[in-house]
Amino acid sequence: MATIELRPDSQGKVRDIYDCGDSLLMVASDRISAYDFILPDEIPYKGEILTRISAFWFNKFAELIPNHMISMDPAQYPAEYQAYADYLAGRSMLVRKADTVPIEAIVRGYLTGSGKKTYDQDGTVCGIKLPDGLVEASRIPQAIFTPSTKAEIGDHDENISFERCAQIVGQDVAQQLSDASLAVYNAAAEYAATRGIIIADTKFEFGFIDGKLTLIDECLTPDSSRFWPAEGYEPGKVQPSYDKQYVRDWLRANWDMTGEPPHLPAEVIEGTSKRYQEAYEIITGEKFVSVKEQ
């Protein structure tokens, strides 16, 4: 069975969501997005890798913060999904429903991307003043919480200050988001360093379940994070990465960002898939073998 024939109740850039009553079935496709566009080509194994990496981190930090994962075993899913077990294996997760917080909880440990742009303009990132003299890929002395709004598909997320975040969700929730995001990022960055990986920045999503702030959606994947190899790291230049920066770089060089995004060349598709697989193997310490090949 190549796909689920049932219509998803909601659809994100990558994930299809099915309402199972008191739970949700999240299915990660092989779609890839960049610059808030869904690209016309899929990346082999991507959905499976995203789901399995998220599950790795959810399990690793279960005592640090609650998460929404119930099971990745299709045998434990509602009966109407049993016919699609072959497709769902590895790329899906049954999760608890949460009251989603409408904020992208971003943590930056290194200066790059949109943060570098605003730093070059006025020395700040999301209203946070940083030391003078930082360059591309400089380590920020202390990781910072830099939230953004959650845009609808086709719109762009907007970086906001902590104060603006507090206006949107309330001071208490904003502080909880900041504290939880920094705690998970710092723990992950410390672990990743032992695996030869720098987590330059990452994006979390949170919701409330039974009144407790809970980590939801995906966690520390190549879609939601910038992973750099520690070997050869050198501030002052763009770093090689294990994430979709390869796709972003190709698009920036070959597309003017107007109209529909172009098809990716075969070598970019293959190279991106390889980078995702490498990220999985380095982070988890396991060789990536698709569930369908096991």
Side-chain angles (χ1 to χ4, degrees):
M1 187 68 65
T3 60
I4 297 182
E5 294 173 354
L6 304 174
R7 183 184 297 274
D9 293 283
S10 63
Q11 195 170 52
K13 294 169 185 172
V14 173
R15 287 167 183 77
D16 299 329
I17 312 296
Y18 299 85
D19 193 325
C20 303
D22 59 356
S23 59
L24 298 173
L25 181 62
M26 297 179 59
V27 184
S29 72
D30 291 337
R31 297 189 296 269
I32 188 166
S33 67
Y35 302 113
D36 295 314
F37 288 90
I38 298 174
L39 305 187
D41 302 288
E42 295 189 340
I43 305 299
Y45 305 115
K46 179 173 174 286
E48 187 175 348
I49 290 168
L50 296 183
T51 302
R52 289 169 61 180
I53 287 181
S54 289
F56 170 83
W57 293 113
F58 284 152
N59 287 325
K60 187 169 188 63
F61 297 135
E63 294 185 4
L64 182 61
I65 185 167
N67 65 74
H68 67 167
M69 183 170 68
I70 298 173
S71 176
M72 284 183 60
D73 182 359
Q76 298 182 22
Y77 297 171
E80 62 265 36
Y81 299 100
Q82 297 299 317
Y84 309 105
D86 286 350
Y87 173 72
L88 293 171
R91 68 168 64 246
S92 63
M93 186 181 291
L94 191 68
V95 303
R96 292 177 293 165
K97 285 184 174 179
D99 293 325
T100 304
V101 179
I103 292 292
E104 302 277 11
I106 298 168
V107 178
R108 303 174 194 266
Y110 292 75
L111 189 64
T112 190
S114 62
K116 171 72 164 50
K117 290 181 182 178
T118 59
Y119 174 82
D120 287 346
Q121 291 168 3
D122 60 15
T124 71
V125 178
C126 291
I128 299 171
K129 177 67 177 169
L130 295 182
D132 294 337
L134 300 184
V135 296
E136 169 66 33
S138 284
R139 183 171 184 173
I140 298 170
Q142 187 171 4
I144 56 175
F145 173 66
T146 58
S148 78
T149 58
K150 286 182 66 170
E152 297 295 324
I153 293 178
D155 292 333
H156 296 280
D157 297 340
E158 178 189 352
N159 292 337
I160 57 176
S161 65
F162 178 85
E163 290 72 23
R164 177 63 184 136
C165 175
Q167 290 175 356
I168 294 171
V169 299
Q171 181 71 31
D172 177 62
V173 171
Q175 192 61 55
Q176 287 188 61
L177 290 178
S178 176
D179 292 346
S181 299
L182 289 167
V184 177
Y185 170 83
N186 287 328
E190 183 177 346
Y191 165 78
T194 71
R195 307 290 306 166
I197 290 281
I198 292 170
I199 303 177
D201 53 34
T202 195
K203 174 183 69 177
F204 300 113
E205 296 201 33
F206 292 93
F208 281 90
I209 298 177
D210 298 330
K212 289 186 177 180
L213 189 69
T214 302
L215 194 54
I216 64 171
D217 195 49
E218 63 183 320
C219 183
L220 293 154
T221 72
D223 264 18
S224 65
S225 318
R226 284 186 175 92
F227 295 137
W228 297 338
E231 185 177 356
Y233 163 71
E234 183 182 344
K237 64 179 185 179
V238 174
Q239 308 298 304
S241 64
Y242 293 108
D243 49 62
K244 62 181 179 181
Q245 191 61 42
Y246 183 42
V247 171
R248 294 190 191 101
D249 291 344
W250 185 88
L251 286 171
R252 200 160 49 231
N254 294 277
W255 182 41
D256 62 4
M257 303 294 170
T258 62
E260 294 299 313
H263 283 278
L264 301 173
E267 62 268 21
V268 174
I269 293 172
E270 182 180 344
T272 302
S273 181
K274 181 180 178 182
R275 282 165 170 77
Y276 276 70
Q277 292 176 57
E278 288 176 349
Y280 175 88
E281 292 178 353
I282 294 170
I283 289 167
T284 67
E286 300 176 357
K287 181 171 177 57
F288 175 75
V289 179
S290 173
V291 170
K292 295 172 181 57
E293 298 166 4
Q294 293 177 6

